[in-house]
Amino acid sequence: MTLQDFFQQHPDTALAFSGGVDSAYLLYAALNWGRRVRAYFVRSAFQPDFELRDAQRLADELGASLTVLDVDVLSVPRIAENPPDRCYYCKQTLFRTVLDAAAKDGFPVLMDGTNASDNAGERPGMRALQELRVRSPLRECGLSKDDIRQLSRAAGLFTWEKPAYACLATRIPAGDRITAEKLRNVEAAEDFMFSLGFSDFRVRLLNGCARIQIPEGQIPRLLEHREAVLREFSQLFTAVLMDLEARGEQ
């Protein structure tokens, strides 16, 4: 099955839209081959502000309808407690919200950007998507992450080279309760790293410390900006650590 086949079979679709590479291309495809599509972005404490800006920019460039839904994820105990399967409860909460909104707007099918490179065994949230009958056309059509980047580049989408970016909750170790303050601190730290020109990195929490993970090629830049990073991060964390096991570039 191709994406064109999928949208011929399902011409009216709603899309859980993150503003990332995969859902961006899926929105583009739906606009080209579907009859009617609406994108839904869920705004929560787990999404940094730049993700919404990217989603709005792409929707504007494509002329797509975009609805922003607000969800208080930290009010759900099984999410805030941060168990190992937190992602399952989070996906249940977020996608139920989108499903309800899509149903009210008259869309019978909800889809997401899961692709063929995503390993279901490594993503407990996929179980929630299966239970809620969310469709994943990119995965169903066998499109890998590399395929989607190439297709996005050919389509002229600015997201084609956007690095993968997991939600802010992934910066906090399982079992460590998630709070709004921890999420704000991580987002502020990562915003500062972006301002210095770093990419495809993570700032993770470890017992109140910041653990910086960056690609090997960016380590010299981090050492060059060491004093600025320490000065900024000292306002947010008790200590600053650099992970010498370099993060693989994506």
Side-chain angles (χ1 to χ4, degrees), residues 2-11 13 26 29-30 33-34 111 137:
T2 66
L3 282 179
Q4 188 170 1
D5 294 332
F6 178 88
F7 289 114
Q8 286 177 347
Q9 296 172 22
H10 308 285
T13 53
L26 191 54
W33 292 316
M111 53 186 183

Side-chain angles (χ1 to χ4, degrees), residues 6-196:
F6 178 88
F7 289 114
Q8 286 177 347
Q9 296 172 22
H10 308 285
D12 299 325
T13 53
L15 170 64
F17 185 49
S18 68
V21 179
D22 302 321
S23 63
Y25 182 71
L26 191 54
L27 179 59
Y28 167 83
L31 289 166
N32 275 274
W33 292 316
R35 180 173 60 200
R36 192 169 65 106
V37 61
R38 179 181 292 274
Y40 295 83
F41 181 96
V42 179
R43 179 167 50 194
S44 77
F46 290 174
Q47 275 68 46
D49 289 340
F50 77 81
E51 292 281 40
L52 176 56
R53 292 195 296 271
D54 283 355
Q56 291 172 325
R57 174 186 167 186
L58 188 76
D60 287 343
E61 290 182 0
L62 295 178
S65 299
L66 174 64
T67 297
V68 179
L69 304 171
D70 289 298
V71 176
D72 182 6
V73 287
L74 295 181
S75 69
V76 182
R78 291 298 287 166
I79 296 176
E81 291 165 3
N82 199 18
D85 57 350
R86 177 208 71 248
C87 191
Y88 169 79
Y89 298 102
C90 189
K91 293 289 189 186
Q92 280 276 350
T93 300
L94 301 184
F95 277 82
R96 285 186 185 280
T97 300
V98 178
L99 278 166
D100 288 345
K104 290 177 182 177
D105 292 336
F107 292 96
V109 175
L110 174 62
M111 53 186 183
D112 85 315
T114 302
N115 65 64
S117 299
D118 293 322
N119 188 332
E122 297 176 356
R123 296 181 60 181
M126 283 191 181
R127 178 162 59 95
L129 302 187
Q130 292 167 357
E131 291 175 358
L132 296 173
R133 298 184 179 180
V134 175
R135 301 295 298 270
S136 301
L138 299 175
R139 185 179 180 86
E140 294 174 31
C141 295
L143 293 173
S144 69
K145 192 73 166 186
D146 288 342
D147 294 332
I148 296 161
R149 288 194 184 280
Q150 293 174 16
L151 290 166
S152 296
R153 185 176 188 179
L157 305 181
F158 75 87
T159 51
W160 79 268
E161 60 180 348
K162 184 176 179 178
Y165 193 88
C167 82
L168 293 171
T170 63
R171 314 300 194 269
I172 302 173
D176 186 354
R177 186 175 183 83
I178 302 174
T179 67
E181 181 182 13
K182 291 174 182 176
L183 296 170
R184 285 195 300 268
N185 289 347
V186 168
E187 182 174 4
E190 294 196 345
D191 282 346
F192 183 71
M193 294 285 287
F194 279 125
S195 75
L196 295 177

Side-chain angles (χ1 to χ4, degrees), residues 201-223:
F201 63 88
R202 298 288 186 268
V203 176
R204 301 190 187 279
L205 287 183
L206 182 63
N207 298 322
C209 303
R211 175 187 169 203
I212 303 174
Q213 296 178 319
I214 56 175
E216 184 176 0
Q218 296 181 42
I219 290 177
R221 176 186 289 271
L222 181 58
L223 297 177

